[in-house]
Amino acid sequence: MLTLFSFIIVIGIIITVHEAGHFLAARAVGIRVETFSIGFGPAIYRWQRGETEYRVAWIPLGGYVKMAGMIDESLDEQSVTGAPDEFMSKNFLQKSLVILAGVIMNFVLAIVLFTTHAWFQGVQEPVDRPLIGGVDANQPAYAAGLREGDLILSIEGRNVDSWVAMAEEIRQHPEEQIQLYVLRDTDSLLVLVTPALVPAPSGKEQVGAIGIIPTYETHRVGLISGLRAGTLQTYGVMSAVTGTLRALMTGNAGLRDLGGPLFIAQLSGESARNGVWSFLAFLAFISVNIGFLNLLPIPALDGGHMVYIFVEGLMRRPLPVKLKLWIQQVGMILLLVLMLIILKNDVVRVFQRHQNTSPATEQLQETGEQP
């Protein structure tokens, strides 16, 4: 029950914030909004205020703002009449603002949540020593005998006095056995480990990694420092999502690595069980991911609408309505196929996770240099 409830809260907040961005921007530039809906399908509850019908629908996997004079998922060819309060009657900048406002609000939400987390919980910063703060049980470091609290003194006879230097040394030896001298309590140990071959954070090359994370210290921050930390953390998640997309395009990752609503629901429940601050951090993380998803140049998503706007701006005239309808139909089919693939991934992942007791939320805590 907690998993379902937390999932509804996460998705509900993100969708409401995203669609509110579209709605407020549309009203600001004088576009008539016919419908503001949270969810799809039949309405649970609806009410009319002014020219807009507000709806809460049964399927909580999205939402929409239906604007006058816009070819959208409704595929209404008669919606464009040329009236001054229609979407297509506005200029390039006004239309761009309306389309991008939802994504902007997702990023703003993430910054606010990460900043709030930083103010109340402090900022975790990695200790600049090669001191192991955690070991992945499925990676070479654990199999070689490395454990949390070990201090790496040297690699292949070369002293390492910082985490960055140690990580760089390991990255240069993919699939090669290397010698590590380690200090554990008062004992000096020789450890032999073979780094696995993994994609670099840039996604442009492959490097060595053994599956360890640094030790972190928590520092209290003020208003300005907290805002900076929240902005940097949002940027870090954006960079990670960009790296994932790059890995998909280069073949270093596949569609099987993508997660969908079932996976989000599972992580929502786990983050809620870990406390309110873990839940808020997860909410910010998903908000950034949803924002990026909407930027993809796929018809029926915000990125697809932006492609229309740019093309029409270059042509200095609107695209034929029938062409837009055809592109929207093809885009919705592609989006449906992608959703089915992701749903299949979710089912497989949920089944596998029932057989694995390792916490999934560790996947969301990949900050700092990880060799």
Side-chain angles (χ1 to χ4, degrees), residues 212-239:
I212 58 177
I213 61 173
T215 300
Y216 287 86
E217 290 181 339
T218 300
H219 302 278
R220 288 292 180 181
V221 296
L223 178 63
I224 301 301
S225 297
L227 179 60
R228 179 177 178 274
T231 303
L232 288 175
Q233 197 162 1
T234 301
Y235 177 76
V237 177
M238 292 169 63
S239 298

Side-chain angles (χ1 to χ4, degrees), residues 239-358:
S239 298
V241 176
T242 303
T244 300
L245 294 176
R246 187 183 297 113
L248 286 170
M249 290 186 289
T250 58
N252 290 325
L255 292 177
R256 67 182 180 276
D257 298 313
L258 299 177
L262 292 180
F263 190 49
I264 294 174
Q266 197 163 31
L267 294 184
S268 297
E270 291 181 4
S271 64
R273 292 183 186 93
N274 289 331
V276 62
W277 295 113
S278 173
F279 183 73
L280 291 180
F282 175 75
L283 177 58
F285 176 86
I286 295 298
S287 186
V288 175
N289 278 263
I290 294 296
F292 251 99
L293 173 65
N294 275 277
L295 281 178
L296 295 177
I298 299 175
L301 297 181
D302 294 342
H305 288 297
M306 279 305 304
V307 172
Y308 293 148
I309 293 171
F310 276 115
V311 171
E312 290 174 342
L314 292 173
M315 295 174 57
R316 297 186 179 277
R317 60 183 175 85
L319 290 168
V321 173
K322 291 189 181 299
L323 176 61
K324 280 188 178 180
L325 287 170
W326 182 82
I327 293 174
Q328 285 291 107
Q329 290 171 332
V330 172
M332 290 178 68
I333 292 173
L334 292 175
L335 197 58
L336 178 60
V337 171
L338 180 62
M339 290 177 64
L340 289 174
I341 293 173
I342 292 175
L343 184 60
K344 186 209 75 170
N345 293 345
D346 278 2
V347 173
V348 172
R349 189 179 287 113
V350 168
F351 177 75
Q352 290 175 340
R353 286 167 62 80
H354 276 300
Q355 300 177 323
N356 188 345
T357 58
S358 62

Side-chain angles (χ1 to χ4, degrees), residues 150-166:
D150 288 350
L151 178 65
I152 298 176
L153 302 176
S154 69
I155 299 175
E156 289 292 291
R158 288 180 285 274
N159 293 335
V160 289
D161 56 4
S162 72
W163 183 271
V164 173
M166 179 269 298

Side-chain angles (χ1 to χ4, degrees), residues 25-32 68-69 82-96 98 309 312:
R27 294 290 296 269
V29 301
I31 296 175
R32 176 165 44 91
D85 61 354
E86 292 183 354
F87 179 82
M88 290 304 298
S89 300
K90 302 304 177 180
N91 62 40
F92 174 84
L93 290 177
Q94 290 172 322
K95 288 188 286 189
S96 298
V98 171
I309 293 171
E312 290 174 342

Side-chain angles (χ1 to χ4, degrees), residues 66-83:
K66 180 169 176 52
M67 291 173 268
M70 182 177 182
I71 301 294
D72 55 15
E73 295 74 27
S74 65
L75 303 177
D76 183 7
E77 187 175 354
Q78 308 300 321
S79 63
V80 183
T81 66

